[in-house]
Amino acid sequence: MGETITLKSGADGYQLSAYHEAPFTPRKGGVIVLQEIFGIDKYVRADVERWAKAGYEALAPSLFDRRERGFTAGHDAEGMAAGIAHARATPLDQALADIAAARDFLQPRGKVCVVGYCYGGSLAWLSAAKVEGIAAASSYYGSMVKANAELPLACPVIVHLGHTDPGIKAEEVETAVKSAHPDVPVYIYEGAGHGFNNESPERYHEEAADLARLRTRELFESA
């Protein structure tokens, strides 16, 4: 069973909460699970559990705690507005420092990988460039990847995009990433939209989610 623990940010000493689950099988490493804008909701907790079942110690830091501790929101207009407001008001350096705190918690027991979705997908890409000690990163449909495509990467990264995502032009992201990093795999999933890994009925695309998870596990196991 998962549990909520406390991490201390090295940037400002703030104590943020994080959802943690120990591996179900012999430990392969640690995985930092980076949230969507909806907070550490049941879908993020389910993803933490999924990684734990795959043999990873999984940890999802609550990146909006300074603004609203324990924040979660529904996948509706009100929830979207609240999540976007929290994301925009959270400095990127602060979020990366909180991710570094999660790394510090996991790193004594082995390698640390990062997977992120939506808001967290952007942060996964940024973590690969700016957070030391990350072994590999898997970025799902992050809106900030294109603008930050030229950042030097310090670890292997893969990128997942939905072809029908109305807010992120998958081919444009692919072009930007490939121009700066020709060896970084960019996977575009036909028929999948934004949030296709999230098992909410309105967004989930099972075939794309399964394939992206397989590719992510293969990356992490080889890191």
Side-chain angles (χ1 to χ4, degrees), residues 21-23 25-32 51-52 54-59 106-107 109-113 220-221:
E21 190 147 4
T25 60
R27 193 182 191 279
K28 297 178 181 177
V31 172
I32 302 171
W51 281 106
Y56 291 89
E57 183 180 3
L59 184 64
L106 294 169
Q107 201 166 48
R109 292 174 295 285
K111 68 180 178 183
V112 180
C113 302
F220 290 177
E221 289 172 10

Side-chain angles (χ1 to χ4, degrees), residues 1-42:
M1 293 292 292
E3 60 177 348
T4 298
I5 65 171
T6 300
L7 305 173
K8 184 176 181 179
S9 173
D12 58 5
Y14 181 80
Q15 294 191 347
L16 66 147
S17 61
Y19 187 72
H20 171 261
E21 190 147 4
F24 284 44
T25 60
R27 193 182 191 279
K28 297 178 181 177
V31 172
I32 302 171
V33 178
L34 298 178
Q35 65 183 67
E36 299 179 305
I37 60 170
F38 306 105
I40 309 300
D41 61 8
K42 65 180 181 179

Side-chain angles (χ1 to χ4, degrees), residues 69-150:
R69 196 164 187 91
F71 168 79
T72 60
H75 295 183
D76 52 20
E78 183 179 356
M80 287 278 291
I84 290 171
H86 284 335
R88 288 178 175 170
T90 300
L92 288 175
D93 287 348
Q94 177 183 288
L96 292 173
D98 290 349
I99 294 166
R103 174 209 59 201
D104 291 345
F105 176 84
L106 294 169
Q107 201 166 48
R109 292 174 295 285
K111 68 180 178 183
V112 180
C113 302
V114 174
V115 60
Y117 312 95
C118 182
Y119 173 66
S122 295
L123 292 175
W125 179 269
L126 293 171
S127 294
K130 298 187 175 187
V131 178
E132 294 182 1
I134 301 299
S138 180
S139 168
Y140 284 71
Y141 31 82
S143 64
M144 290 183 272
V145 172
K146 179 183 173 183
N148 291 279
E150 294 185 0

Side-chain angles (χ1 to χ4, degrees), residues 175-193:
T175 297
V177 169
K178 288 294 186 181
S179 294
H181 305 284
D183 296 333
V184 170
V186 178
Y187 300 110
I188 299 175
Y189 298 85
E190 295 294 331

Side-chain angles (χ1 to χ4, degrees), residues 52-74:
K53 288 180 176 178
Y56 291 89
E57 183 180 3
L59 184 64
S62 186
L63 300 174
F64 298 158
D65 266 7
R66 289 174 183 77
R67 287 180 52 81
E68 183 177 342
R69 196 164 187 91
F71 168 79
T72 60

